[in-house]
Amino acid sequence: MNDTDSLTVTRIADRPHLAARVYEIADTWPVFTGHDLLAGSLLGRVVHDFPDYCVVATDGDRVVARGLSVPFNAELDGREELPDQGWDRVLGWAVRDRATGTPTTAASALEITLDQDYLGRGLSYRMLDAMRRAVARQGHRSLLAPVRPNGKHLHPRVPLAEYVRRTREDGLPEDPWLRVHVKAGGTVEKVAPASMTVSGSLAQWRTWTGLPFDHDGEVVVPGALSPVHCDTANGHAVYVEPNVWVRHAL
């Protein structure tokens, strides 16, 4: 039996009472990622506004994983399926389109997050498969994903385009999370150079990271995929995170 066979994975739409519990997970996200402006203001409503596009895993009564995706219109003027602003852009478009009743033409993943006690069991594959099925059920032909390569933080000064080209002997991506997507049938399309942006005062960055932020220029922060730019004269620092667009044909 697979390590995850005893878990129940469904759409939030099928178990709506779990929508309020998906953030009970003990995750491993760096603290600063939660301070992306759009994440802080819009992400919490995704499971309630788009339950047909979101999936959840439980072990008995315990919520152990969540997977969030959203529909959006990629055909309006000034839009595209794979924007350079990646995660931030598609989340903003999705919420706006829902508010205005705009028909949707595409779907993008936002995250798949596992409880840290359930890492390494193959659950990520089940969650990705469940999300693909949920999106296909809504009539979409593909699932897009601005993937956050989870090994990239170990190489923060390596350009993401170069990192993405790194493969193992079997031809699969060196990065573990990109490898999950490719093994599931995903195709790497392009880099989203400004997928998330976190801007804060130096005092905030010191709180988020425990680092001094006492010199100008690049600061390597644990968990960050690229260095954070520190500006001591103006008392603030900015992190612009690149992601990788992956397309899953459904």
Side-chain angles (χ1 to χ4, degrees), residues 23 51 53 87 95 105 125 159 161 173 195 200 209 220 247-248:
Y23 289 97
Y53 289 82
W87 193 96
V95 172
T105 65
Y125 290 94
S195 196
T209 67
V220 173
R247 183 188 301 273
H248 291 268

Side-chain angles (χ1 to χ4, degrees), residues 66-97:
R66 64 177 177 267
L68 312 182
S69 66
V70 291
F72 67 98
N73 190 305
E75 298 177 356
L76 299 180
D77 287 345
R79 295 193 184 184
E80 58 181 309
E81 282 191 334
L82 308 174
D84 285 348
Q85 293 78 23
W87 193 96
D88 279 349
R89 188 66 82 202
V90 295
L91 174 56
W93 284 345
V95 172
R96 180 182 178 85
D97 290 345

Side-chain angles (χ1 to χ4, degrees), residues 66-227:
R66 64 177 177 267
L68 312 182
S69 66
V70 291
F72 67 98
N73 190 305
E75 298 177 356
L76 299 180
D77 287 345
R79 295 193 184 184
E80 58 181 309
E81 282 191 334
L82 308 174
D84 285 348
Q85 293 78 23
W87 193 96
D88 279 349
R89 188 66 82 202
V90 295
L91 174 56
W93 284 345
V95 172
R96 180 182 178 85
D97 290 345
R98 182 178 185 277
T100 58
T102 302
T104 58
T105 65
S108 174
L110 293 178
E111 65 168 282
I112 290 177
T113 299
L114 311 184
D115 189 288
Q116 57 188 4
D117 289 342
Y118 289 76
L119 296 173
R121 302 189 186 187
L123 180 55
S124 57
Y125 290 94
R126 280 197 66 186
M127 292 297 289
L128 180 55
D129 180 65
M131 182 181 289
R132 286 164 49 110
R133 292 174 182 271
V135 168
R137 187 170 175 175
Q138 298 307 306
H140 297 280
R141 295 184 178 183
S142 63
L143 170 66
L144 311 173
V147 175
R148 185 179 200 268
N150 60 7
K152 174 65 170 67
H153 71 99
L154 300 174
H155 312 277
R157 298 190 185 278
V158 175
L160 184 54
E162 176 184 332
Y163 177 78
V164 169
R165 290 193 294 268
R166 296 181 176 181
T167 58
R168 306 188 310 180
E169 289 184 1
D170 60 6
L172 290 170
E174 181 180 291
D175 183 82
W177 191 216
L178 276 178
R179 191 161 60 247
V180 168
H181 280 269
V182 171
K183 289 179 72 174
T187 302
V188 174
E189 297 273 334
K190 58 177 278 191
V191 168
S195 196
M196 296 182 73
T197 300
V198 180
S199 179
S201 68
L202 299 188
Q204 288 176 309
W205 277 101
R206 289 164 185 147
T207 298
W208 299 338
T209 67
L211 299 176
F213 276 87
D214 56 1
H215 66 273
D216 289 329
E218 294 185 341
V219 178
V220 173
V221 172
L225 307 193
S226 57

Side-chain angles (χ1 to χ4, degrees), residues 22-63:
V22 296
Y23 289 97
E24 294 177 1
I25 296 168
D27 63 53
T28 57
W29 286 93
V31 172
F32 59 84
T33 58
H35 297 277
D36 170 276
L37 192 58
L38 287 184
S41 59
L42 301 180
L43 188 60
R45 41 191 298 187
V46 167
V47 288
H48 303 283
D49 290 351
F50 308 103
D52 292 313
Y53 289 82
C54 298
V55 294
V56 60
T58 54
D59 187 356
D61 188 49
R62 180 179 177 183
V63 176

